[in-house]
Amino acid sequence: MTAAAPLDDASLQCGLLLESAQVQQKAIASSLKQLKAHTQELDTLVREQIRCTLVEELGALIEESTRAIQAVRALERAARARLLASALVVTLLSGAAMALCAWRLLPSAGELDALRLRREQLTAALERLEQRGGLIDLRRCGADQRWCVRVDRKAPAYGEQADYLVVKGY
């Protein structure tokens, strides 16, 4: 074996520098492995935290939705009750107005009885008038406005000189 030649300062410094670089590369590789492990742990923790937060927020959203649904249903019940009450009030007021109009405008039982009696009296008087010539069509005719009567031309004439004619309708 041959003896090693003495190294000059520049070579020695390069060797030391290379050795130092190797040591630092190993340290960096080790740090990178640790960083990678920490990153995976952190990723797992962040994902779990996100899941927990999401579950909490969704639970709160469900509770809030449930309260909103209950509030809407309560409003619906109140609106239905108000609608029913207003319809009932309108119906009662309409009925009361009709009853008041009927009470004010329609005749009472006594007035109806009086009107029936008056109608019977008028009917009897009309029948008497018809029997006594109430159906005679009597008018003023001509320039002199003389009294004329409508006669039945198909009926026979009466009297000694046949100067009486039957009035139409009798």
Side-chain angles (χ1 to χ4, degrees):
M1 245 180 153
T2 62
L7 295 174
D8 62 353
D9 272 344
S11 297
L12 187 62
Q13 283 183 350
C14 265
L16 287 176
L17 190 58
L18 283 174
E19 190 179 325
S20 172
Q22 277 183 339
V23 169
Q24 284 192 358
Q25 279 181 344
K26 287 180 184 178
I28 289 173
S30 172
S31 292
L32 281 174
K33 283 181 186 178
Q34 287 178 351
L35 183 60
K36 194 173 191 179
H38 283 303
T39 303
Q40 286 178 347
E41 288 177 13
L42 186 59
D43 185 42
T44 305
L45 285 174
V46 167
R47 286 181 189 267
E48 186 61 34
Q49 191 64 35
I50 288 172
R51 277 191 204 108
C52 289
T53 304
L54 184 62
V55 166
E56 287 176 12
E57 290 299 319
L58 287 176
L61 181 63
I62 289 171
E63 288 176 17
E64 196 66 29
S65 297
T66 304
R67 282 194 295 266
I69 288 171
Q70 290 171 349
V72 167
R73 287 184 180 153
L75 284 173
E76 180 184 17
R77 284 190 298 273
R80 284 185 182 175
R82 286 183 184 164
L83 179 64
L84 179 65
S86 63
L88 184 61
V89 166
V90 167
T91 302
L92 288 176
L93 288 177
S94 298
M98 292 300 291
L100 180 64
C101 287
W103 179 72
R104 298 279 290 165
L105 298 175
L106 295 178
S108 67
E111 291 172 330
L112 282 175
D113 289 340
L115 288 171
R116 283 187 190 107
L117 179 62
R118 180 72 176 140
R119 183 185 67 200
E120 290 172 5
Q121 290 172 348
L122 289 173
T123 302
L126 187 60
E127 287 176 7
R128 282 192 307 274
L129 278 174
E130 287 176 359
Q131 290 172 358
R132 293 182 182 167
L135 295 177
I136 295 174
D137 188 6
L138 187 64
R139 298 181 184 198
R140 299 253 181 196
C141 300
D144 295 338
Q145 292 291 307
R146 295 182 65 192
W147 285 106
C148 302
V149 66
R150 187 172 300 227
V151 296
D152 187 1
R153 296 195 181 267
K154 296 178 184 175
Y158 294 99
E160 293 177 14
Q161 298 172 353
D163 54 350
Y164 287 96
L165 299 172
V166 175
V167 176
K168 186 160 186 132
Y170 289 95

